Amino acid sequence: MKEKVIIVMGASSGIGEATVKKLAEKGAKLVIAARREERLKAIKDSLPGSEIEYKVADVSNFDEVKAVVDLALNKFGKIDVIFNNAGTMPSSYLIDGKRDDWHDMLHVNVLGVLNGIAAVLPYFVKQKSGHIITTDSVAGHYVYPGSVVYCATKSAIRAIMEGLRQEQRENNIKSSMVSPGAVRTDLYQTMKDESLKEGQLKMQNTEGYGVSSEDIANAVVYAIDTPVDVSISEIIVRPTKQSL
């Protein structure tokens, strides 16, 4: 792990932040990116002695994602892993017609992953190695009311990542998904429907609800730390008592 150069997109909080901290502890060289510069700086400052660079980037903008990849190459001379973790969940019912929210979810959750792949894949193909990891969700396996479009974006990610695996396996490029169930993060804060948000907040405050961001980060680290000839296609991490 100490020799690996790893990019973490969506690194400013939750699963991304927890993953950065665990990778830093293991000595990885890191380039972290998100939209909130103050959070990125705070994370870097909290890990003195670690090799970390940060750059503000919106994953829905390919040029900004490409700039993160270029920073990693210029600073560290190579890239071993990119973790596409950015996501948004402004859930609502279809009857509400929240087209702007649908647009945001498609651009962040789907196009954001595609931008990460497009930015790094030519380099990985050239070096005949690399690892692309994406945060998916149990919502990519099940559809439920109030989150139909979110579920659709996560289902799309499963298709994209499996297609990536099939297309690039001969180039020794790994593709992995980590699919969390209920997690205690602030992702619910992106919800726009107040009734759905209130219900999520109530569950968040229930004792024993959800796994932690660190639990998901452990799964990401496990996938990265496998031998060259072993690829973890998908890990589902959910609370033991979760029904779906």
Side-chain angles (χ1 to χ4, degrees):
M1 188 74 74
K2 287 186 177 181
E3 299 302 318
K4 289 187 181 294
V5 176
I6 302 173
I7 295 172
V8 179
M9 308 298 297
S12 61
S13 63
I15 293 168
E17 180 179 4
T19 302
V20 168
K21 290 180 177 179
K22 288 189 178 293
L23 291 171
E25 288 172 4
K26 289 182 171 291
K29 299 176 176 67
L30 294 161
V31 175
I32 63 175
R35 290 181 291 186
R36 295 179 290 178
E37 183 172 11
E38 71 282 0
R39 288 293 306 140
L40 296 173
K41 183 179 185 302
I43 292 168
K44 176 174 176 161
D45 291 345
S46 73
L47 297 166
S50 299
E51 294 190 74
I52 301 177
E53 298 291 327
Y54 68 84
K55 192 169 187 64
V56 175
D58 181 339
V59 297
S60 67
N61 185 312
F62 174 75
D63 289 338
E64 293 184 14
V65 176
K66 181 64 165 54
V68 175
V69 170
D70 291 342
L71 172 61
L73 289 173
N74 292 334
K75 177 64 179 181
F76 298 118
K78 67 168 186 170
I79 302 169
D80 297 292
V81 181
I82 185 169
F83 178 30
N84 294 309
N85 175 65
T88 188
M89 190 176 65
S91 299
S92 61
Y93 295 99
L94 291 174
I95 189 63
D96 296 328
K98 301 285 189 179
R99 296 179 66 251
D100 289 343
D101 291 345
W102 300 346
H103 178 279
D104 289 345
M105 278 190 282
L106 288 167
H107 276 71
V108 173
N109 296 356
V110 181
L111 187 60
V113 170
L114 288 169
N115 284 339
I117 292 170
V120 81
L121 192 55
Y123 174 75
F124 281 174
V125 169
K126 184 177 180 180
Q127 73 178 9
K128 297 294 183 183
S129 68
H131 194 173
I132 297 172
I133 307 176
T134 295
T135 301
D136 197 60
S137 174
V138 167
H141 297 258
Y142 302 98
V143 177
Y144 48 92
S147 293
V148 174
V149 178
Y150 179 73
C151 293
T153 65
K154 293 303 182 178
S155 296
I157 294 309
R158 294 183 66 207
I160 290 166
M161 293 300 289
E162 172 59 13
L164 173 66
R165 184 193 71 79
Q166 293 185 28
E167 289 184 0
Q168 295 300 330
R169 59 188 177 82
E170 294 294 339
N171 285 321
N172 200 38
I173 296 169
K174 298 184 180 187
S175 61
S176 302
M177 288 180 293
V178 177
S179 294
V183 185
R184 298 187 299 275
T185 71
D186 60 0
L187 182 62
Y188 75 91
Q189 295 285 5
T190 65
M191 288 182 168
K192 301 292 183 65
D193 185 285
E194 288 302 321
S195 63
L196 291 170
K197 187 174 181 178
E198 182 180 349
Q200 182 66 29
L201 179 59
K202 183 177 180 180
M203 286 190 292
Q204 291 267 352
N205 291 330
T206 301
E207 184 177 355
Y209 171 83
V211 297
S212 69
S213 296
E214 288 74 19
D215 292 323
I216 308 303
N218 284 333
V220 176
V221 172
Y222 171 73
I224 293 173
D225 217 15
T226 51
V228 173
D229 60 345
V230 175
S231 184
I232 304 298
S233 296
E234 182 171 15
I235 304 173
I236 300 177
V237 184
R238 51 160 74 90
T240 301
K241 293 184 178 181
Q242 183 172 332
S243 58
L244 293 180

